[in-house]
Amino acid sequence: MARRSYRSRNGVTVMTLLLLVLTVALGPSPSSAAGDDWWNPAARPAPDSQINVTGAPFTGTDAQGQVRGFVDAHNHLFSNEAFGGRLICGSTFSEAGIADALEDCPEHYPDGSLAIFDFITNGGDGRHDPVGWPTFEDWPAHDSLTHQQNYYAWVERAWRGGQRVMVNDLVTNGVICSVYFFKDRSCDEMTSIRLQAKLTYDLQAYVDRMYGGPGKGWFRIVTDSAQARRVIEQGKLAVVLGVETSEPFGCKQILDVPQCDKEDIDKGLDELYALGVRSMFLCHKFDNALCGVRFDSGTLGTAINVGQFLSTGTFWRTEKCAGPQADNPIGLAAAPEAEKRLPQGVSVPSYDADARCNVRGLTALGEYAVRGMMQRKMMLEIDHMSVKATGRVLDIFEAESYPGVLSSHSWMDLNWTERVYGLGGFIAQYMHGSEGFSAEAERTDALRDKYGVGYGYGTDMNGVGGWPGPRGADTGNPVRYPFRSADGGSLIDRQTTGERTWDLNTDGAAHYGLVPDWIEDIRLVGGQDVVDDLFRGAESYLDTWGGTERHRAETDLAAGAGATASSAEWWNPFSSHAPGRAVDGDRDTRWASEWSDAQWLRLDLGATHLVGRVTLDWERAYAKAYRVELSADGQTWRTAWSTTAGDGGLDTARFTPIPARHVRVQGLVRGTEWGYSLREVGVHSR
């Protein structure tokens, strides 16, 4: 045809018209034809959900070379496979089609009478119309916790609306699985995690087939930040695998006794990394052998506390908080169906209103797991950790300048926000209603400006959380359909699946396809600035991930250094608390002084170095007031850093680097009745 065009322009016109007629008569419909519209699949299943978005997805970077797009930092694509496989009803996709994927659990027929988890968590009697495709009379809905919200085409709509990163948290809970009445899957947590990882890759292949083969679809699993950038620059969705489970690697505790060891942790982390997992929670819902949890509240909290007892033999235990941070209030709401599972004579304890903190923090095994994640350049989710555990994690990361910290769905104490940003971490807010979301975004806006970061949201869909309800069609500023996407390039109309069309104004955020509608609602309520921060989310998330990958542990100048002290405590001939124990690289040993003030530990680095950071890992016997002193010759000392408000734990003293060969920690006032006791002291150039 190209060669003929030089001979007969009129012939080309006639032939072109003929081809157009034949294309209309014989070709695929525009909704399924790829052509130059690379974002439309050539072979979408029929029937299927509509997308109801027109216009090309944006590609490339902005004028500063930064990627653009929204981040969902917390979602659960395959939690229908978790908890025994019958807690969340319906599937994300099915080779047999949408009718098979969006089908209710068999026990929900004919009227939802046996939708037990619905009325445990949401009140009422759980009754609903179980029919999904094609009518969807009662589900998915913003207040239904047991029905699929992540059908792949709804995720596609969110991508078309501007989302460019999704963290798919592989999730389950073995105890909830074991006590729930209906199941057809194993309750072993790692078995479920492996299955959900496999299905995520299966979904990628499923989408690829629609677009003509491997690598051609919009759903791309990524395992490093550079790969994620390439995917986003192509205009596609970068999918990151995470893990959110209660007893990872079998690390539960029974009557406070760990059921795992360091070998289990290393083996588990290696397996998850090989699966493509790059972020994870170390504890979730139940206290385990790694850390204590941030409590759940209300009826759900009572039910989970029952589950904790059934799993571990202990209920949650609380104490008064040591600082301004606090865990969630447990509350005293009854959960009769869950409480029936308790042994006779056992009941959920009551809790003092002024004791808001979990007594459990980060355990020694938990610290080993944290450092194992750092070695593998993985990002740690601190949501669901008790404030005691979170504080220790942030201390560790600050001591190592490690940026890989995430708060993905508003479960972190808000007082930690600046510490996370200071490390280079990333924060996303739970998918609250537009009013609440905008108010919280405004509260932290100055910190985002200070650190130059974007913002994210965590939808937590299929995560048994509840989602924004409708503001009503009669509100003064409803979402008006169709509307433009945040980048202005796409037109978004109401979403239709089968015989049901959803409207955010009257239905709320019923499923994942309504994420773009919810963002438009945020624009109307909170203003364009909030949406702009969200649109910078992809770049900020990848900054955190990239910084984590590039992190290199600095040389510890104190490792094996000559150590002397004013005194050393003596217990028996079989244990030693000599000064050298504080620089032997073993956190199970320590230097301990006699039980009096004005004690010191002195290190000889062997040569002069620039010294700009000293880390001190205190045992229970800590210093309330102390100085870090430096000397070039061991005779003349200068104070580089001091405090009168020490509270134990892991302290990091930072100061302008000074040439020094000798470092001295001078204790002034003890924080306890005992002496001063240091597990490890680290000395670094910066």
Side-chain angles (χ1 to χ4, degrees), residues 7-88:
R7 298 181 183 178
S8 174
R9 189 168 182 177
N10 289 336
V12 171
T13 302
V14 172
M15 183 62 72
T16 300
L17 291 172
L18 178 59
L19 287 173
L20 286 172
V21 171
L22 289 173
T23 298
V24 172
L26 302 176
S29 65
S31 63
S32 63
D36 292 331
D37 298 344
W38 60 268
W39 55 92
N40 285 324
R44 185 183 297 281
D48 202 8
S49 171
Q50 296 181 34
I51 306 302
N52 306 108
V53 179
T54 56
F58 58 87
T59 61
T61 58
D62 65 15
Q64 289 73 45
Q66 298 181 335
V67 299
R68 300 165 290 164
F70 305 120
V71 176
D72 181 357
H74 194 102
N75 190 26
H76 303 292
L77 286 177
F78 291 100
S79 60
N80 56 291
E81 299 292 348
F83 317 109
R86 299 268 278 274
L87 196 68
I88 308 295

Side-chain angles (χ1 to χ4, degrees), residues 7 49 66 89 200 227 245 275 298 306 344 357 379 457 459 467 469 485 488 495 498 507 520 546 561 608 613 619 641:
R7 298 181 183 178
S49 171
Q66 298 181 335
C89 306
T200 310
Q227 183 186 17
T245 190
L275 288 173
V306 169
Q344 187 173 2
C357 281
M379 294 177 286
Y457 49 82
T459 63
W467 298 273
S485 59
Q495 200 284 317
D507 296 311
E520 171 67 3
T608 300
R613 175 164 54 99
E619 195 250 355
W641 187 90

Side-chain angles (χ1 to χ4, degrees), residues 84-149:
R86 299 268 278 274
L87 196 68
I88 308 295
C89 306
S91 304
T92 305
F93 75 104
S94 171
E95 299 286 355
I98 191 170
D100 182 66
L102 297 181
E103 183 177 27
D104 211 342
C105 293
E107 60 273 9
H108 287 199
Y109 287 86
D111 62 358
S113 298
L114 292 181
I116 295 172
F117 195 72
D118 256 350
F119 61 77
I120 286 177
T121 57
N122 205 29
D125 58 10
R127 292 179 184 270
H128 63 274
D129 178 12
V131 177
W133 174 269
T135 55
F136 300 107
E137 182 174 332
D138 284 342
W139 66 271
H142 72 89
D143 55 354
S144 171
L145 307 186
T146 63
H147 293 97
Q148 180 62 244
Q149 296 175 296

